[in-house]
Amino acid sequence: MTEPESSGLILVGGRWIATASTRKVVNPARTAEQVGRVGQADENATDDAVGAASTAFEEWSRTSAQTRAACFADAVARLREHTDDLVRLLVRENGKPLSEAAIDIARSIEMMEIAAHDVPAWSKPELIEPGQPVWIRRRPRGVTAVISPWNSPVLLGFRRWVPAVAGGNTVVLKPASYCPLTLMECFRLLGPCFPVGVLNLVTGPGDIVGDRLVGDPRVSTIAFTGGTETGRRIVQRSASTLKKLSLELGGNDPAVVLEDAVLDNTAIERMTRAILRATGQVCVAVKRIYVHRSRHDELTEKLTAAFNRTVIGDGLNDETTMGPLNNRTQFDFVRGLLDHADRSGLNVKVCGRKLNPDGWDDGYFMQPAVVTRGTHDDELVGCEQFGPVIPIVPFEEDRQAVAWANDTIYGLRASVWTADRARAERLADRIHAGAVFHNNHGIFGDLHLEFPGVKQSGLGHESRLMGFDFYVDSYGFAD
């Protein structure tokens, strides 16, 4: 297969430029296959991208909301023409199955549709009258640096750059080096829909490109999705200029299953999907289950049966329901966790069917595993596994389950599984998470909604309009 046109290039001020060196991007299902190359930009190229975005901001920030909406409408039409190619490229560089990749691309396009439709009304001044007429008006902030992760690069990248640009800001996007190609192709396709310099894209090492972006005084806003340790580094590096930060960081999401939970096929399918979507490489995936002791064996049996229906293989094969892990580092980490659990006497039940046993070792394939006979204090329970693994730990009383759910530095998502909705609400009030689901877990169907994590799972604010408000400054105009 040919490499994408943007392979090995960076986008600065409307021009795709070659870097002095590049790195291979491999297919995690067939690591001998090179999908493309990622450019290794230096500090000068990063500075140039910020400069281009800063220059473009002067004009873009003064465009009308209707003009910006029209740009996004053009972008929607443009990307739709290339949906199939983008889906397949995402599968090849990321590993997730075609069905999941198709959802990522479709929802990314939906975000641009929301911008095209909602920005004109959102941009209008809002009148409040606390004794005198005051209009709340919105002003774009400047250059936004968007740093996206490798697990859902397109969806999470669009989640940040679309509202930023819709609000009148310009963007410098840094994709993750493991999985940059689909985002790069999206920007190549969308570039003509926006004025030169509004969209810029720079690839390369985080300690060069990332550090340069977050430390640049011309960057006013940083939107990052990724690991908590990198999030801390961003806070430190950006502190001197007090940038506005949106950090969606790690999670160790608990699911609390009460004694009255309805564990029918629908519930088990939802729970399985919440654990294994994207091979478990999702920050809001269920990563540990606390189940009332009276339901432990039933849940374990039903979840194991569901895991055994998983078909692990190349995401381009229609039979595949779970692809490989994305990269060697993550594969070795999860494999090490399971080996340690097995040596420690936990019961590691390996599940699922290998679609192609002969080619199993050609990629970062791993069968999903249900782990029992453990405790809350086990390493597998306490860390963010980011893989197709689920430890199940029994509890005796609700207060014990809540205490265990909260015993973590993370607070991204959580779920309570019970037939009693009022009881679920009471427990939700006691669980420290950015959002708590009832008999479901993880992702909001409506892209307008966004709830940040608490504790060390992130910084941000609740949004009901896809985060538009975060990327602007609101000010009052009064008579």
Side-chain angles (χ1 to χ4, degrees):
M1 296 182 182
T2 59
E3 295 186 10
E5 289 188 37
S6 56
S7 180
L9 306 177
I10 61 174
L11 174 61
V12 178
R15 296 174 55 235
W16 286 95
I17 303 168
T19 57
S21 63
T22 62
R23 284 179 49 189
K24 291 193 298 185
V25 178
V26 302
N27 184 338
R30 294 187 297 275
T31 57
E33 176 191 323
Q34 177 177 308
V35 183
R37 303 197 70 87
V38 55
Q40 302 297 285
D42 58 15
E43 292 178 341
N44 290 333
T46 306
D47 291 347
D48 290 345
V50 176
S54 183
T55 298
F57 174 73
E58 296 303 318
E59 181 176 347
W60 181 247
S61 63
R62 294 194 295 268
T63 58
S64 68
Q66 289 73 20
T67 297
R68 282 179 263 138
C71 289
F72 276 102
D74 289 344
V76 168
R78 175 86 165 154
L79 221 56
R80 277 198 175 134
E81 294 176 4
H82 300 273
T83 295
D84 290 344
D85 291 339
L86 292 170
V87 168
R88 295 183 70 82
L89 177 59
L90 181 56
V91 172
R92 290 177 62 217
E93 67 165 337
N94 178 272
K96 61 179 62 182
L98 280 165
S99 58
E100 293 184 12
I103 291 172
D104 279 13
I105 299 299
R107 286 174 72 83
S108 298
I109 294 173
E110 184 183 348
M111 289 179 203
M112 295 194 299
E113 288 181 306
I114 290 172
H117 181 270
D118 291 357
V119 163
W122 165 80
S123 299
K124 293 179 180 178
E126 178 184 350
L127 175 63
I128 58 174
E129 298 192 62
Q132 72 177 117
V134 177
W135 286 264
I136 298 175
R137 302 173 69 91
R138 298 173 177 88
R139 180 190 295 120
R141 307 194 77 245
V143 179
T144 299
V146 177
I147 304 175
S148 67
W150 50 259
N151 60 326
S152 289
V154 182
L155 183 62
L156 296 176
F158 272 59
R159 183 81 188 187
R160 307 302 176 221
W161 81 259
V162 169
V165 171
N169 305 282
T170 55
V171 160
V172 179
L173 172 64
K174 181 200 175 301
S177 294
Y178 282 128
C179 197
L181 301 173
T182 314
L183 261 179
M184 292 161 59
E185 276 298 282
C186 286
F187 266 40
R188 185 185 68 81
L189 294 166
L190 297 179
C193 301
F194 297 88
V196 168
V198 172
L199 303 182
N200 304 272
L201 184 148
V202 184
T203 56
D207 59 357
I208 295 177
V209 176
D211 281 0
R212 196 71 171 184
L213 279 176
V214 302
D216 194 313
R218 295 171 295 179
V219 173
S220 62
T221 308
I222 301 169
F224 169 76
T225 306
T228 296
E229 188 58 42
T230 304
R232 295 190 192 105
R233 182 181 177 92
I234 289 173
V235 172
Q236 294 167 352
R237 292 282 298 175
S238 65
S240 63
T241 51
L242 294 178
K243 300 182 191 302
K244 193 173 186 180
L245 302 179
S246 171
L247 306 178
E248 182 182 326
L249 307 178
N252 188 8
D253 288 11
V256 177
V257 182
L258 305 182
E259 72 275 8
D260 66 343
V262 177
L263 299 179
D264 57 10
N265 289 338
T266 298
I268 295 300
E269 287 175 6
R270 287 178 175 177
M271 196 176 295
T272 300
R273 187 168 59 249
I275 298 166
L276 298 184
R277 182 175 47 244
T279 319
Q281 300 167 122
V282 180
C283 55
V284 296
V286 174
K287 298 182 179 68
R288 50 195 171 122
I289 295 177
Y290 300 114
V291 58
H292 192 273
R293 189 172 297 277
S294 65
R295 307 297 298 278
H296 175 274
D297 292 349
E298 178 189 357
L299 175 64
T300 300
E301 179 181 343
K302 289 182 175 180
L303 208 54
T304 299
F307 275 35
N308 271 324
R309 290 191 289 272
T310 305
V311 180
I312 309 99
D314 188 334
L316 291 175
N317 191 308
D318 290 333
E319 290 186 63
T320 296
T321 61
M322 191 182 87
L325 279 82
N326 176 257
N327 56 80
R328 168 62 67 179
T329 299
Q330 192 59 31
F331 176 85
D332 288 345
F333 175 71
V334 180
R335 185 73 266 165
L337 287 173
L338 284 176
D339 290 345
H340 181 264
D342 188 54
R343 291 194 304 270
S344 300
L346 279 65
N347 181 33
V348 179
K349 177 65 175 177
V350 176
C351 306
R353 175 170 67 89
K354 300 178 182 180
L355 182 60
N356 179 20
D358 292 338
W360 187 257
D361 294 332
D362 294 339
Y364 302 128
F365 294 110
M366 180 178 294
Q367 292 172 266
V370 176
V371 182
T372 56
R373 298 181 191 163
T375 70
H376 167 69
D377 296 322
D378 289 324
E379 178 187 26
L380 189 65
V381 178
C383 74
E384 183 183 21
Q385 311 101 350
F386 228 58
V389 179
I390 190 66
I392 302 177
V393 179
F395 69 86
E396 302 289 348
E397 298 179 348
D398 288 5
R399 63 180 181 179
Q400 183 180 53
V402 171
W404 284 347
N406 290 335
D407 185 22
T408 175
I409 65 171
Y410 301 111
L412 198 54
R413 300 286 182 264
S415 55
V416 179
W417 303 73
T418 172
D420 186 339
R421 191 180 187 282
R423 188 179 177 191
E425 289 186 13
R426 291 194 297 272
L427 264 65
D429 286 341
R430 295 159 57 193
I431 294 175
H432 303 154
V436 181
F437 290 79
H438 175 222
N439 295 341
N440 209 338
H441 191 103
I443 295 178
F444 293 96
D446 189 342
L447 287 169
H448 287 85
L449 299 177
E450 184 171 26
F451 292 84
V454 299
K455 298 195 283 189
Q456 294 188 39
S457 279
L459 298 172
H461 76 298
E462 174 187 343
S463 170
R464 293 181 178 84
L465 195 61
M466 211 176 74
F468 289 156
D469 284 341
F470 176 81
Y471 297 94
V472 298
D473 291 327
S474 296
Y475 68 97
F477 178 79
D479 291 326

